Amino acid sequence: VSTQSTGEPFLLMMEIKPLAPFSLVVHHAEIQINTTNQNTPVATDLSATSADVTDIELAKSGLLSFWYKMTPVVVGEGVSLGFFVIQWRRASSEFFPNPPIVTNKVPLPPLKILPSPYSTSVEAAPSGVVNTPLTYSITIHNNLPCTQEFKFYVKDTNLFFFSGYKMPFFKLLPYGTRKFKFQCVPLKVGKLALPTIQVISKRLDKEIKGAKTKRYVFIKPQ
């Protein structure tokens, strides 16, 4: 059983390999997400590179792959995210000019889903005035019963004067929270990208995705 964390996207690959002695045509393929008893999907942010692919002919020795990006939102053991649904038919031939479409539902493998080891929230004003300081902050919470250490970087930009915490490392105690506040002085008017914050978990050697999301502020003239 694979282990994933809530809020952490992962890639799921589904492969189709014909076992029949004739070619197939894949009419459609998709992932159907299960829901909880409260009618809430067990996963979100589903995207498929193959979402718009239809009627692909697959030779008897061929192989067809579909990639999906999924983000679990529930915690549990043996969680079934849903089904891989494929609609296919036998390739048309002289003896089978109009073969019927067949639908198969394949259960996705069960997952062990753990709480996300950390969570973040970023606060920034939607607008400001040129040459006037505005506050930009990020809060990081440790969801684990152990101390976590992080690397912390702020990417400088020529759009703002920037002041605040820039130390490369910090620690969070079990279930601890830390908030960092910055002062940004916009130097131009218009829609400006705020300085990028990059936070990396040393234990997981993994970047906290929510921290680095680009954020913009609209700056008005004085």
Side-chain angles (χ1 to χ4, degrees):
V1 177
S2 175
T3 300
Q4 302 293 336
S5 298
T6 57
E8 293 291 313
F10 70 94
L11 290 176
L12 174 69
M13 183 183 72
M14 304 298 295
E15 287 187 340
I16 301 174
K17 185 176 182 180
L19 300 177
F22 47 78
S23 297
L24 305 178
V25 174
V26 177
H27 178 66
H28 182 69
E30 66 177 5
I31 293 287
Q32 287 185 356
I33 299 296
N34 284 339
T35 58
T36 65
N37 293 334
Q38 291 74 35
N39 205 31
T40 302
V42 299
T44 58
D45 296 336
L46 173 65
S47 60
T49 57
S50 54
D52 298 324
V53 176
T54 57
D55 292 334
I56 300 176
E57 185 162 347
L58 189 59
K60 59 183 179 180
S61 59
L63 183 67
L64 182 61
S65 298
F66 295 85
W67 288 89
Y68 297 89
K69 185 177 182 181
M70 306 179 71
T71 303
V73 297
V74 299
V75 175
E77 295 269 357
V79 176
S80 174
L81 295 186
F83 296 86
F84 178 61
V85 182
I86 175 175
Q87 295 179 330
W88 62 276
R89 60 177 173 81
R90 181 172 179 165
S92 301
S93 66
E94 179 182 354
F95 301 103
F96 296 94
N98 296 299
I101 294 177
V102 179
T103 300
N104 293 114
K105 294 179 67 173
V106 181
L108 299 180
L111 298 177
K112 179 180 181 181
I113 303 177
L114 302 175
S116 177
Y118 37 69
S119 56
T120 63
S121 62
V122 176
E123 299 174 31
S127 62
V129 178
V130 67
N131 296 326
T132 302
L134 55 89
T135 302
Y136 180 28
S137 66
I138 179 171
T139 302
I140 304 171
H141 179 73
N142 180 8
N143 295 328
L144 298 181
C146 60
T147 299
Q148 292 199 75
E149 188 172 359
F150 298 88
K151 300 177 184 177
F152 188 97
Y153 304 96
V154 177
K155 186 177 180 181
D156 289 328
T157 172
N158 60 359
L159 301 177
F160 296 87
F161 282 136
F162 182 86
S163 67
Y165 185 92
K166 290 188 178 181
M167 292 181 63
F169 302 104
F170 69 93
K171 292 182 179 181
L172 279 180
L173 296 176
Y175 305 113
T177 299
R178 190 160 185 178
K179 184 173 185 176
F180 302 100
K181 287 187 176 182
F182 312 96
Q183 290 294 317
C184 300
V185 179
L187 304 178
K188 298 181 180 181
V189 298
K191 183 181 178 182
L192 305 183
L194 288 164
T196 301
I197 300 173
Q198 185 177 20
V199 184
I200 299 173
S201 167
K202 291 189 69 178
R203 185 179 69 87
L204 301 176
D205 192 26
K206 195 172 186 180
E207 183 176 342
I208 299 179
K209 297 183 182 299
K212 198 180 179 182
T213 303
K214 269 200 170 184
R215 290 171 173 84
Y216 297 87
V217 60
F218 183 77
I219 303 300
K220 298 173 286 188
Q222 288 182 324

